[in-house]
């Protein structure tokens, strides 16, 4: 399954377009990460816990989008876009969407 | 003890009414998606098939969906242990599909919608005594192709 | 380029677990965690209490004002009479620091021990009790709690519970407000065995002071008999004390084992 955020996959032709597919997850941090983040608020620096958490969520969202694309019979997704937003106190939604196509 | 009872009643109300609202919303969404499946929607910048474009116009659709009490409690519990907040996943999924449908509904005669973008945001995030709700905005460019004379 | 609109059969953007199952799992996880914390911290509370001598306790709580109702201050003779009974029991119970009696106006049939050497007695008890021995039993029971430092233990545990709940659910959540009062007075009895132990000590004190244990079960019998009238007070009592009938039986059994007699009781003039 190819993923790009360009219009076309360089070197390949798009033969069929299946429309927009998307994947999303909503993840919450747990109390432990919260306390570490609180400490970091004093000392500064990268919040590795959160980076990891959001990275995992992003991977899962991409997996879900690929799964949807496979269901409709595509073998590539073009023009992929990401969006992160906070939907509840302490929880973030990662959303990824793109156009599912069949290339050769 | 009264507090716990009230909590229990609110949770039960939230669960049953929320489940019912969700189910009927999903039914409506699936029905309308079938109707609008014929309108090609992509997130690419170029229209499919390179047609002669008569008109291009920005269209958008938005919706705000609120959480019910059961979802809130579940999210609060998840906040302690971490992990996927299942209750909110259905919420944003519904909101997003509804927003895309509303966008499609607003331009019924269009031939294509290109450059679809989706923005999600939350209103008040559901903190103490505030309404927790999710707003989704879907926008894109609707393309009206030139009709050949005689068709 | 073709356009084939196919709608996916399975919604892969949501999890398919039943929300109620998830709720039960998470809620029991939280409850389990709280119970473990409570048990562990209770263990430390016990250690701390064993190291807190009565003098230090007196210093800590000396400035505390008992302010939970109207004090029946207009009849100082009542207070002095009850104080006299308490003082006479102190030698028998072996509590060598001063214990102060406060009488508070209330319909509830209850009395409790508060850290700092205070015993609070509600006026309903003084109205309903008929014998001095019965009153002495109640006071001796509270003094026994002092001797075993139980009031500190339940106060400590109540504070631990309130602190845990405000840490996890926020200080102004409904659950925290529900639990806050348990830290306030140490009235939430956490252990039936400690209550029973206090009952036995009170029985012995009664025998030591009066030579017999007549009137020991009077309080519980009053609650049982006047079930209808004092229902409010009885329910209040039930909430924090072990089953009444069981207690009366246990007292009679202990008295028999220790060879105590039930004789004439002294009447209470209050």
């Amino acid at each position: 399954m190819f993923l790009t955020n360009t219009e076309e996959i360089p070197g390949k032709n798009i033969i069929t377009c299946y429309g927009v597919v998307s994947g999303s997850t909503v993840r919450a941090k747990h109390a432990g990460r919260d306390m570490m983040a609180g400490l970091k608020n004093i000392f500064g620096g990268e919040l590795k816990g959160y980076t990891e958490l959001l990275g995992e969520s992003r991977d899962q969202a991409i997996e879900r989008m690929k799964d949807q694309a496979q269901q409709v019979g595509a073998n590539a997704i073009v023009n992929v876009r990401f969006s992160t937003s906070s939907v509840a106190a302490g929880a973030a939604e990662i959303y990824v969407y793109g156009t599912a196509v069949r290339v050769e | 003890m009264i507090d716990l009872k009230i909590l229990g009643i609110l949770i039960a109300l939230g669960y049953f009414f929320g489940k019912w609202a969700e189910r009927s919303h999903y039914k409506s969404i699936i029905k309308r998606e079938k109707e609008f499946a014929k309108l090609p929607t992509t997130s690419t910048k170029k229209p499919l098939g390179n047609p002669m474009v008569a008109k291009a116009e920005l269209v958008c659709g938005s919706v705000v969906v609120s959480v019910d009490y059961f979802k809130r409690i579940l999210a609060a519990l998840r906040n302690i242990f971490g992990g996927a907040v299942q209750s909110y996943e259905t919420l944003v999924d519904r909101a997003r599909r509804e927003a895309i449908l509303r966008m499609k509904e607003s331009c019924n005669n269009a031939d294509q919608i290109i450059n679809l973008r989706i923005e999600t945001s939350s209103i008040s995030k559901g903190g103490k005594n505030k309404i927790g709700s999710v707003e989704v905005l879907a926008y894109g460019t609707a393309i009206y192709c030139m009709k050949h004379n005689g068709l | 380029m073709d356009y084939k609109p196919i709608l996916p059969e399975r919604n892969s953007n949501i999890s398919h677990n039943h929300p109620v199952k998830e709720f039960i799992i998470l809620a029991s996880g939280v409850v389990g965690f709280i119970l473990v914390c409570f048990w562990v911290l209770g263990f430390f509370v016990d250690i701390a209490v064993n190291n807190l001598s009565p003098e230090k306790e007196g210093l800590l709580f000396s400035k505390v004002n008992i302010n939970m109702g109207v004090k029946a201050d207009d009849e100082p003779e009542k207070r002095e009479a009850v104080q006299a009974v308490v003082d006479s029991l102190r030698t028998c119970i072996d509590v060598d620091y001063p214990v102060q009696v406060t009488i508070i106006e209330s319909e509830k049939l209850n009395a409790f021990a508060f850290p700092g050497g205070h015993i609070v007695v509600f006026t309903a008890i003084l109205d309903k009790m008929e014998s001095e021995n019965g009153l002495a039993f109640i006071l001796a029971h509270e003094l026994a709690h002092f001797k075993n430092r139980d009031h500190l233990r339940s106060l400590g545990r109540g504070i631990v519970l309130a602190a845990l709940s405000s840490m996890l659910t926020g200080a102004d959540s409904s659950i925290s407000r529900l639990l806050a009062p348990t830290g306030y007075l140490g009235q939430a009895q956490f252990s039936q065995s400690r209550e029973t132990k206090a009952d036995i000590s009170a029985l012995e004190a009664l025998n030591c002071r009066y030579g017999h244990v007549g009137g020991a079960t009077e309080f519980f019998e009053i609650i049982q008999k006047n079930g209808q009238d004092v229902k409010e007070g009885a329910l209040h009592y039930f909430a924090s004390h072990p089953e009444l009938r069981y207690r009366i039986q246990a007292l009679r059994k202990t008295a028999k084992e220790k060879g105590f007699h039930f004789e004439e009781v002294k009447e209470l003039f209050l």
Side-chain angles (χ1 to χ4, degrees):
Chain A
M1 177 82 52
F2 301 108
L3 265 68
T4 67
N5 73 338
T6 51
E7 289 286 311
E8 291 163 347
I9 299 188
K12 291 201 187 274
N13 280 333
I14 298 180
I15 36 176
T16 325
C17 166
Y18 296 98
V20 172
V21 288
S22 61
S24 75
T25 50
V26 182
R27 281 282 177 109
K29 53 177 173 40
H30 60 72
R33 279 196 227 261
D34 214 8
M35 280 192 266
M36 294 277 98
L39 286 179
K40 275 283 166 98
N41 244 331
I42 302 174
F43 298 113
E46 182 192 356
L47 293 173
K48 291 217 177 64
Y50 281 141
T51 312
E52 246 178 63
L53 171 71
L54 290 178
E56 280 171 19
S57 319
R58 206 161 286 131
D59 289 337
Q60 199 195 4
I62 294 179
E63 279 309 310
R64 286 184 170 178
M65 182 177 69
K66 283 189 194 169
D67 182 52
Q68 233 185 35
Q70 254 165 7
Q71 277 186 62
V72 299
N75 68 352
I77 310 179
V78 296
N79 237 330
V80 170
R81 295 199 179 117
F82 287 90
S83 141
T84 310
S85 57
S86 148
V87 293
E93 186 220 4
I94 307 277
Y95 178 56
V96 59
Y97 58 103
T99 310
V101 295
R102 176 158 276 277
V103 298
E104 21 183 58
Chain B
M1 269 308 138
I2 272 289
D3 274 347
L4 275 180
K5 283 193 203 130
I6 293 182
L7 191 76
I9 291 176
L10 284 175
I11 290 180
L13 278 178
Y15 177 66
F16 288 113
F17 281 100
K19 199 165 80 152
W20 177 80
E22 196 170 284
R23 212 179 294 176
S24 53
H25 195 197
Y26 264 123
K27 265 197 215 143
S28 143
I29 286 178
I30 291 176
K31 192 174 92 168
R32 284 184 291 155
E33 275 182 350
K34 286 206 176 78
E35 273 176 42
F36 283 102
K38 58 179 168 34
L39 176 57
T41 312
T42 58
S43 61
T44 53
K45 292 196 176 62
K46 297 207 199 88
L48 291 171
N50 266 329
M52 304 279 282
V53 175
K55 187 171 86 164
E57 133 186 279
L58 175 72
V59 289
C60 60
S62 75
V63 68
V64 181
V65 185
S66 154
V67 294
D68 55 60
Y69 205 74
F70 183 67
K71 285 203 213 287
R72 269 174 77 167
I73 296 287
L74 219 45
L77 285 175
R78 263 295 162 205
N79 242 328
I80 302 175
F81 294 110
V85 188
Q86 285 175 194
S87 50
Y88 273 71
E89 281 178 349
T90 53
L91 186 74
V92 293
D93 185 52
R94 275 161 56 197
R96 202 169 42 238
R97 285 159 83 172
E98 177 71 36
I100 295 181
L101 281 169
R102 287 189 186 181
M103 180 187 69
K104 287 187 183 177
E105 276 166 9
S106 74
C107 58
N108 233 329
N109 306 324
D111 292 300
Q112 283 186 44
I113 298 183
I114 59 172
N115 220 353
L116 171 72
R117 287 183 199 211
I118 302 185
E119 302 288 328
T120 315
S121 66
S122 97
I123 308 209
S124 326
K125 295 194 176 60
K128 259 282 126 222
N129 294 332
K130 292 202 197 125
I131 309 169
S133 45
V134 168
E135 191 235 2
V136 177
L137 170 69
Y139 57 103
T141 308
I143 303 272
Y144 298 87
C145 296
M146 284 200 200
K147 297 277 186 285
H148 295 291
N149 290 340
L151 262 166
Chain C
M1 189 195 303
D2 276 347
Y3 174 71
K4 275 206 197 119
I6 300 181
L7 297 168
E9 281 296 317
R10 185 183 68 244
N11 191 352
S12 46
N13 280 333
I14 59 179
S15 313
H16 295 280
N17 297 334
H18 202 279
V20 174
K21 192 173 97 172
E22 192 193 355
F23 178 71
I24 292 177
I25 293 176
L26 289 177
S28 45
V30 171
V31 168
F33 173 71
I34 290 183
L35 285 177
V36 165
C37 271
F38 189 64
W39 185 82
V40 165
L41 287 169
F43 181 65
F44 288 114
V45 162
D46 276 338
I47 295 181
V49 163
N50 288 337
N51 290 334
L52 189 68
S53 71
E55 292 80 39
K56 285 192 212 141
E57 176 197 334
L59 279 174
L60 268 178
F61 291 97
S62 57
K63 295 283 184 278
V64 172
N65 232 331
I66 304 216
N67 214 350
M68 45 163 295
V70 180
K71 285 205 198 148
D73 265 341
D74 46 350
E75 285 171 272
E77 314 90 49
K78 273 195 188 176
R79 206 194 68 77
E80 277 164 19
V82 179
Q83 182 78 49
V85 177
V86 168
D87 292 335
S88 69
L89 283 166
R90 264 178 46 204
T91 42
C92 283
I93 289 245
D94 184 31
V95 167
D96 53 356
Y97 55 88
V99 173
Q100 213 194 16
V101 169
T102 310
I103 307 215
I104 293 191
E105 181 92 20
S106 172
E107 287 289 300
K108 299 190 178 125
L109 274 175
N110 212 344
F112 50 90
F114 191 76
H118 295 277
I119 290 188
V120 174
V121 179
F122 288 142
T123 47
I125 289 191
L126 299 177
D127 294 334
K128 293 274 186 318
M129 290 302 278
E130 285 169 1
S131 73
E132 189 186 299
N133 303 55
L135 182 64
F137 178 78
I138 298 176
L139 296 170
H141 177 102
E142 300 307 324
L143 282 174
H145 275 319
F146 270 127
K147 181 157 146 247
N148 298 331
R149 330 291 272 117
D150 288 341
H151 55 299
L152 283 179
R153 284 179 221 275
S154 54
L155 180 64
R157 277 182 168 77
I159 290 181
V160 159
L161 201 57
L164 266 180
S165 111
S166 56
M167 190 171 70
L168 286 173
T169 64
D172 54 347
S173 79
S174 49
I175 301 180
S176 293
R177 265 180 279 125
L178 187 73
L179 291 171
T182 62
Y184 177 41
L185 287 170
Q187 217 183 349
Q189 308 297 349
F190 65 95
S191 165
Q192 278 206 359
S193 62
R194 287 196 176 267
E195 284 297 307
T196 316
K197 207 165 145 210
D199 272 351
I200 296 178
S201 305
L203 204 66
E204 289 168 355
L206 217 60
N207 191 52
C208 151
R209 164 82 175 82
Y210 294 102
H212 64 93
V213 292
T217 55
E218 184 186 342
F219 180 48
F220 308 128
E221 282 159 1
I222 286 180
I223 298 185
Q224 263 193 338
K225 205 181 0 165
N226 305 2
Q228 271 311 90
D229 317 344
V230 299
K231 196 162 170 223
E232 244 309 305
L235 282 177
H236 188 83
Y237 197 76
F238 273 134
S240 56
H241 287 69
E243 181 70 76
L244 270 185
R245 211 179 316 154
Y246 166 77
R247 277 180 103 177
I248 300 179
Q249 277 173 359
L251 280 174
R252 295 219 172 101
K253 188 167 136 220
T254 315
K256 206 197 288 191
E257 281 168 11
K258 297 195 186 262
F260 297 153
H261 309 287
F262 287 85
E263 286 171 27
E264 269 296 315
V265 295
K266 250 194 198 173
E267 219 186 297
L268 190 67
F269 292 105
L270 276 180

